[in-house]
Amino acid sequence: MSSTERLRFGVDLVTFFHPAFWGVEDYDGIIALSRSEPRSFWDKILDAVQASGVTGVELTFSPFNWQDATKTYGSVEAFAGELSKRGLALASGFFAELEAAGDFAEASAQAAIIEKAEKYAAFLKACGSDIMVIGAPLRQTPGAQPVRFFDFEQARKIADFLNRLGAILYAKGVRLAVHTEAHSIFAASRDVDLLMLLTDPAYVHMCPDTAHIIVAGSDPLEVVERHHERVIIAHWKDALGPMPTDTPIDEHIHDRHRPYFCGFGLGRVDWPGWIRLLRDRAYEGWAILELDAAPDPVGDIANGLTLVRQALLPIYR
């Protein structure tokens, strides 16, 4: 089996969340376009993914989510057909409901999340994917009152829910992978170690995002080395460095992340070291070349894929 077969490259659709790509002025313009011309909107995305050279798609938040795709093309089967005729596969689906839920300790909140996840899992399976990537709850801004510690007891409650959700999805043929989102409870080295310790490896896996781990102040190679057996998919992205420790964590945190992300190979990620780690730990699976809201997503993805093929895959072989 060749290295290109053992590593399959895809893109998260958040990459296309830039107004310049759509010829509009702002993010509201993207939303409006997706609603007024949904078919041309989705056709443009899928055509762009195909043109970039990758073969996989990771769905994400609206207007790039599974409900939007299904509604646009009329059925799950029709969307799967649109992927297939372009030589694309559904690599995974990002599930953002946990982060959006806030305090999900209430049984009713957990039941709602599980119901949404089960519907999503059915869609993923119907499209040939078996990976659901999930975002973890956000941390609290340091110094905010009243203080909420992410301590052992809080981590245990979250881990218990992740275990149960993972087991429910497993029964439906879908694997759960927690994404290392900067400023969530699963990005900095200590937080990842804590949640990995408390979750069951049979049901809870990991989706490391190299850039987000750096933005959180940690080393992605060190984090993944300790938990490599839990990795079932990875986001390959570059970052300029860690964000200030007093960064406000609120509804704008994802916008604050973007200036710290950069083009593939232009940041702090040790890509030769990264590919050696994956090689030595016999990782096989999807590599999602993600760029948050790129003005020229097709060119940026294509350039990143060229760098991977020329400089990294020879090491992986």
Side-chain angles (χ1 to χ4, degrees), residues 10-163:
V11 63
D12 186 292
L13 295 190
V14 71
T15 302
F16 299 93
F17 197 52
H18 195 289
F21 175 70
W22 297 101
V24 297
E25 293 186 0
D26 52 27
Y27 297 117
D28 289 339
I30 299 175
I31 303 298
L33 189 63
S34 73
R35 291 173 179 168
S36 64
E37 303 176 35
R39 180 63 187 246
S40 61
F41 181 85
W42 273 90
D43 283 348
K44 181 174 180 175
I45 293 171
L46 298 185
D47 289 344
V49 173
Q50 181 185 26
S52 74
V54 299
T55 59
V57 170
E58 179 174 274
L59 298 176
T60 183
F61 55 81
S62 184
F64 312 104
N65 68 11
W66 70 273
Q67 296 100 325
D68 295 322
T70 303
K71 183 178 180 181
T72 296
Y73 290 112
S75 68
V76 177
E77 294 76 17
F79 173 65
E82 292 293 327
L83 292 174
S84 179
K85 76 180 187 182
R86 292 174 173 85
L88 302 175
L90 185 63
S92 49
F94 189 88
F95 184 71
E97 298 294 336
L98 196 62
E99 179 183 317
D103 182 7
F104 57 90
E106 292 288 332
S108 59
Q110 293 188 2
I113 292 170
I114 289 170
E115 182 181 6
K116 292 176 181 178
E118 287 181 309
K119 292 178 180 177
Y120 200 176
F123 168 87
L124 292 172
K125 285 297 291 182
C127 289
S129 174
D130 71 341
I131 298 175
M132 185 184 297
V133 180
I134 189 169
L138 292 174
R139 269 185 158 275
Q140 184 185 45
T141 302
Q145 298 292 331
V147 177
R148 297 195 311 270
F149 299 111
F150 182 52
D151 54 13
F152 184 88
E153 184 58 28
Q154 180 67 8
R156 186 194 62 77
K157 294 176 183 177
I158 294 169
D160 174 70
F161 178 72
L162 289 173
N163 282 336

